[in-house]
């Protein structure tokens, strides 16, 4: 009985001492004596039973919070591990919440302080981002990430800063963390794709991201184009064609898709010929031609379309000239000149598109080299001389 009484008295005195330390910490905090306030609250948490005291947890959170916000260099020794300090603050506020009722004063105060901590991190991070201090902004957004880990904005902002700072792995980590919480916006998917590209991930890994973006935004044309581009890189031409065909059916007046489809048909035209499938090659040449001409009717000054269409037509000419080079002397005597004229006809068809590309982008070396070949084949000496003057 005496032993039990001694324990009871000890617990009463320990509890009283803890309350005294909390009061001391409160006084020191009000006086902005943060070192002494921290010493008092830390000692209070060495006492038994303190972990069930919401007032103690709130005071610990407030003391550590003020230390974190203070610019006093004497307090820097407590900030050597910012992440640990922020976690301590947030954990202390959360423990206050778990030990109080919904309408209690401490509950309201703790919730407000968490909101303030989160908002300050967002505001400071935004300010630093606008000042192009991306690494400092990342540190500021960490406060918001820890204080409200189920809120996506701090993760998205961190990822954006990481992209600008060239920290692509960090960007991916934060975009994926945000994705675990909610559907990413198109801007966030754009950033994730950029980060993955800069990390030089495999086309297959990039395709996973693009397909996920398309799943959430099926009619967003840039994702259609990105998926097609990636499928082409890994040689899945039929899959790329299927994606584009569906997109064109849904958006028949979208000229960008028409051009991408022309480019894909162009690739299949060349690939099929290399695979020994001439009929398939010719079929895709016709389809590509229709799309290039449709696009150019709408955008006649587009450099890429003019150049690519001219190159594709010239591929037909090159096939004829290759056939001529393989002829025997006897065969050339019989059909050589006639066959050569067919090649020249293809060159003549390609010429206006290549000339248009030169008009749009004079000085382009690839275009100049192509025109030099065209003019030489067709014996257009005056045009060749004028071109060489450039």
């Amino acid at each position: 009985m005496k032993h039990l009484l001694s324990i009871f008295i000890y617990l009463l005195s320990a509890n009283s001492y803890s309350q005294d330390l909390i009061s001391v910490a409160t006084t020191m905090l009000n006086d902005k004596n943060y070192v002494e306030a921290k010493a008092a609250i830390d000692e209070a948490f060495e006492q038994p039973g303190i972990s069930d005291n919401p007032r103690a947890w709130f005071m610990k959170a407030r003391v550590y919070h003020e230390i974190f916000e203070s610019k006093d260099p004497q307090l820097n020794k407590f900030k050597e591990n910012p992440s640990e300090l922020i976690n301590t603050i947030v954990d202390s506020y959360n423990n206050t919440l778990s030990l109080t009722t919904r309408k209690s004063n401490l509950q309201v105060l703790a919730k407000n302080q968490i909101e303030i901590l989160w908002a300050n991190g967002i505001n400071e991070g935004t300010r630093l981002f606008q000042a192009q201090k991306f690494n400092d902004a990342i540190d500021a957004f960490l406060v918001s990430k820890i204080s409200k880990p189920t809120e996506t904005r701090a993760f998205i902002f961190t990822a954006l800063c990481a992209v600008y700072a060239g920290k692509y792995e960090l960007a991916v980590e934060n975009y994926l963390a945000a994705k675990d919480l909610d559907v990413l916006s198109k801007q966030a998917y754009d950033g994730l794709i950029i980060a993955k590209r800069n990390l030089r991930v495999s086309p297959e890994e990039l395709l996973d991201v693009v397909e996920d973006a398309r799943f959430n935004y099926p009619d967003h044309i840039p994702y259609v184009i990105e998926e097609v581009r990636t499928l082409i890189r890994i040689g899945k031409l039929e899959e790329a064609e299927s994606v584009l065909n569906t997109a064109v059916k849904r958006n028949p007046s979208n000229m960008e898709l028409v051009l991408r489809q022309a480019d894909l048909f162009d690739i299949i035209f060349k690939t099929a010929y290399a695979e020994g499938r001439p009929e398939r090659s010719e079929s895709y040449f016709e389809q590509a031609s229709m799309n290039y001409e449709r696009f150019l009717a709408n955008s006649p000054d587009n450099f890429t379309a003019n150049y690519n269409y001219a190159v594709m037509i010239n591929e037909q000419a090159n096939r004829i000239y290759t056939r001529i080079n393989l002829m025997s002397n006897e065969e050339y005597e019989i059909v050589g000149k006639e066959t050569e004229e067919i090649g020249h006809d293809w060159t003549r068809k390609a010429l206006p598109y290549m000339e248009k590309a030169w008009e749009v982008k004079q000085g382009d070396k690839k275009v100049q080299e192509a025109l030099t070949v065209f003019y030489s084949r067709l014996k257009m000496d005056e045009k060749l001389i004028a071109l060489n003057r450039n």
Side-chain angles (χ1 to χ4, degrees):
M1 186 69 178
K2 259 187 186 180
H3 181 63
L4 291 174
L5 185 59
S6 297
I7 293 174
F8 181 65
I9 292 170
Y10 168 76
L11 290 174
L12 283 176
S13 60
N15 183 60
S16 177
Y17 184 53
S18 299
Q19 295 299 328
D20 288 343
L21 287 170
I22 295 169
S23 297
V24 170
T26 304
T27 301
M28 293 297 114
L29 179 65
N30 291 336
D31 292 341
K32 298 186 178 180
N33 188 341
Y34 302 131
V35 174
E36 294 298 327
K38 182 179 182 301
I41 199 64
D42 286 348
E43 187 177 352
F45 270 87
E46 294 172 4
Q47 308 308 310
I50 196 70
S51 59
D52 295 326
N53 188 325
R55 181 166 167 258
W57 282 114
F58 182 75
M59 186 48 54
K60 181 174 182 176
R62 291 294 302 118
V63 170
Y64 279 62
H65 194 163
E66 289 298 332
I67 289 172
F68 175 73
E69 298 286 356
S70 175
K71 305 299 182 186
D72 186 347
Q74 293 182 357
L75 301 176
N76 287 344
K77 60 185 178 182
F78 302 126
K79 305 179 187 181
E80 292 177 355
N81 188 334
S83 177
E84 183 179 331
L85 178 58
I86 299 162
N87 272 298
T88 299
I89 296 167
V90 174
D91 287 346
S92 298
Y93 282 132
N94 283 332
N95 284 333
T96 305
L97 295 176
S98 66
L99 292 168
T100 53
T101 58
R102 191 165 62 88
K103 293 184 179 180
S104 71
N105 189 44
L106 283 179
Q107 176 104 176
V108 172
L109 290 172
K111 282 183 177 178
N112 287 343
Q113 289 301 317
I114 290 174
E115 289 294 333
I116 290 169
L117 191 64
W118 178 85
N120 285 348
I122 294 292
N123 292 337
E124 180 64 5
T126 302
R127 183 188 70 78
L128 291 165
F129 173 79
Q130 291 171 344
Q132 298 186 13
K133 296 180 179 179
F134 304 119
N135 288 316
D136 292 337
I138 289 169
D139 292 338
F141 288 129
L142 177 64
V143 179
S144 300
K145 284 163 57 178
I146 294 173
S147 57
K148 293 176 71 173
T150 60
E151 223 284 344
T152 61
R153 272 174 286 183
F155 291 96
I156 296 295
F157 293 157
T158 299
L160 180 61
C161 290
V163 169
Y164 277 97
K167 296 182 174 181
Y168 301 114
E169 288 185 0
L170 180 65
V172 170
E173 177 187 324
N174 278 272
Y175 279 128
L176 294 181
K179 182 175 174 291
D180 286 340
L181 297 170
D182 200 356
V183 176
L184 293 181
S185 66
K186 284 183 280 193
Q187 292 82 359
Y189 272 118
D190 292 346
L192 179 56
I193 291 168
I194 289 169
K196 288 278 190 177
R197 273 209 216 111
N198 279 284
L199 286 172
R200 301 185 185 281
V201 301
S202 68
E204 290 80 5
E205 185 176 339
L206 182 61
L207 184 61
D208 286 341
V209 176
V210 176
E211 287 179 338
D212 188 63
R214 273 206 68 213
F215 177 81
N216 289 294
Y217 303 100
D219 296 322
H220 189 52
I221 302 303
Y223 295 153
V224 174
I225 292 170
E226 186 65 34
E227 183 175 9
V228 168
R229 184 186 294 123
T230 308
L231 287 167
I232 290 171
R233 282 182 62 197
I234 58 181
K236 293 186 174 182
L237 300 184
E238 290 184 3
E239 290 88 338
E241 183 180 1
S242 176
V243 169
L244 262 180
N245 288 346
T246 301
V248 170
K249 284 179 182 177
R250 289 178 178 174
N251 306 274
S253 61
N254 188 292
M255 287 296 106
E256 189 174 7
L257 287 177
V258 170
L259 178 59
R260 298 297 173 179
Q261 197 174 42
D263 290 339
L264 176 60
F265 291 160
D266 185 353
I267 292 169
I268 298 174
F269 154 68
K270 292 166 185 168
T271 302
Y273 189 78
E275 293 172 345
R277 303 165 72 183
E279 291 183 2
R280 176 176 169 83
S281 178
E282 289 304 313
S283 171
Y284 277 92
F285 175 81
E286 295 300 327
Q287 293 180 71
S289 297
M290 288 175 58
N291 276 39
Y292 277 131
E293 289 175 15
R294 181 184 171 196
F295 179 85
L296 288 168
N298 188 71
S299 304
D301 295 332
N302 184 279
F303 171 82
T304 301
N306 278 289
Y307 178 78
N308 287 352
Y309 190 25
V311 169
M312 187 185 76
I313 297 170
N314 185 57
E315 176 68 20
Q316 293 280 37
N318 287 341
R319 292 178 185 180
I320 301 298
Y321 296 132
T322 298
R323 193 183 310 159
I324 293 170
N325 290 335
L326 295 174
M327 287 179 179
S328 65
N329 290 335
E330 293 79 6
E331 188 180 3
Y332 184 79
E333 286 295 326
I334 299 170
V335 296
K337 291 292 184 183
E338 180 182 341
T339 305
E340 191 172 46
E341 192 57 32
I342 295 172
H344 289 347
D345 284 343
W346 282 117
T347 302
R348 291 186 189 98
K349 183 174 181 180
L351 181 59
Y353 298 105
M354 193 62 77
E355 286 181 328
K356 186 64 175 181
W358 180 254
E359 177 188 322
V360 173
K361 196 176 181 181
Q362 284 204 20
D364 186 276
K365 292 296 182 184
K366 293 187 296 183
V367 176
Q368 189 171 18
E369 289 171 5
L371 285 174
T372 298
V373 172
F374 289 4
Y375 291 151
S376 298
R377 281 177 184 168
L378 300 175
K379 300 185 178 358
M380 302 175 73
D381 296 336
E382 291 184 6
K383 286 198 170 188
L384 184 59
I385 291 168
L387 179 69
N388 288 333
R389 289 195 189 119
N390 287 288

